[in-house]
Amino acid sequence: MPEALVIGGAGYIGSVLVPALLERGYRVNVLDNFLFHQTSLMECCAHENFSVVRGDYRDADTLRKAMRTADCIIPLAAIVGARLARRMPAPPSPPISMPSAR
Ligand SMILES: NC(=O)c1ccc[n+]([C@@H]2O[C@H](COP(=O)([O-])OP(=O)(O)OC[C@H]3O[C@@H](n4cnc5c(N)ncnc54)[C@H](O)[C@@H]3O)[C@@H](O)[C@H]2O)c1
C-alpha cells in the first residue's frame, strides 16, 4: 500500500485531501505542528491507515523520520491567507494623491 506524507495536512487543503487519499487506498501520515489547534482530522483518527506526527517540518530530524517510509510527499505547510494577514498585517498604504481636475 503506498504511503503519502502530507506536511501541513491539518490545514484547509489537508482536511479535504487526507480523507480523499485514505478513501483511495493510501496509507497517510500527516506531519503538522497544529499551530492553530485544528481538529479537522479528528474523523481520520479512527482510520487504520492514518497516522499523525505533531512536529515542525523545519526540524531536520522530525522531517527525516516522517519521510523515511513515504512513497510520496505533499508539502502544504505554510502560514498563508487570513492567518498570515492577522499575524503580519500589512503597513497602512500611503494616501493616493489624485490629479486635480484642472
Ligand atoms: N487554500 C487555498 O485555497 C489554496 C489555494 C492555492 C494554494 N494553496 C496553498 O496550499 C498550501 C496549504 O494551504 P491551506 O489553505 O491548507 O493552509 P492552512 O493554513 O489551512 O494549512 C497549513 C498547515 O500547515 C501547518 N503548518 C504551518 N507551519 C508549519 C510547520 N512549520 N511545520 C508543520 N506544519 C506547519 C499549519 O498548522 C496548518 O495545518 C499553502 O502553501 C497555500 O499557499 C492554498
Side-chain angles (χ1 to χ4, degrees):
M1 177 182 296
E3 180 177 309
L5 169 64
V6 187
I7 304 172
Y12 177 71
I13 295 203
S15 68
V16 177
L17 179 66
V18 170
L21 288 170
L22 289 168
E23 217 170 88
R24 283 163 179 75
Y26 282 81
R27 188 182 297 279
V28 181
N29 187 24
V30 164
L31 170 62
D32 200 295
N33 61 1
F34 292 90
L35 196 58
F36 307 106
H37 310 285
Q38 309 92 303
T39 55
S40 52
L41 297 176
M42 286 287 253
E43 283 183 20
C44 296
C45 291
H47 201 291
E48 58 180 342
N49 295 326
F50 175 75
S51 58
V52 60
V53 174
R54 182 180 196 139
D56 193 314
Y57 78 90
R58 294 169 296 181
D59 178 77
D61 275 348
T62 303
L63 184 59
R64 200 174 298 120
K65 273 183 208 148
M67 286 171 61
R68 204 169 283 156
T69 53
D71 296 298
C72 67
I73 299 169
I74 301 165
L76 299 175
I79 310 287
V80 291
R83 286 164 177 167
L84 175 65
R86 273 197 294 272
R87 283 178 166 236
M88 301 172 67
S93 320
I96 300 167
S97 54
M98 299 294 285
S100 86
R102 283 186 281 160

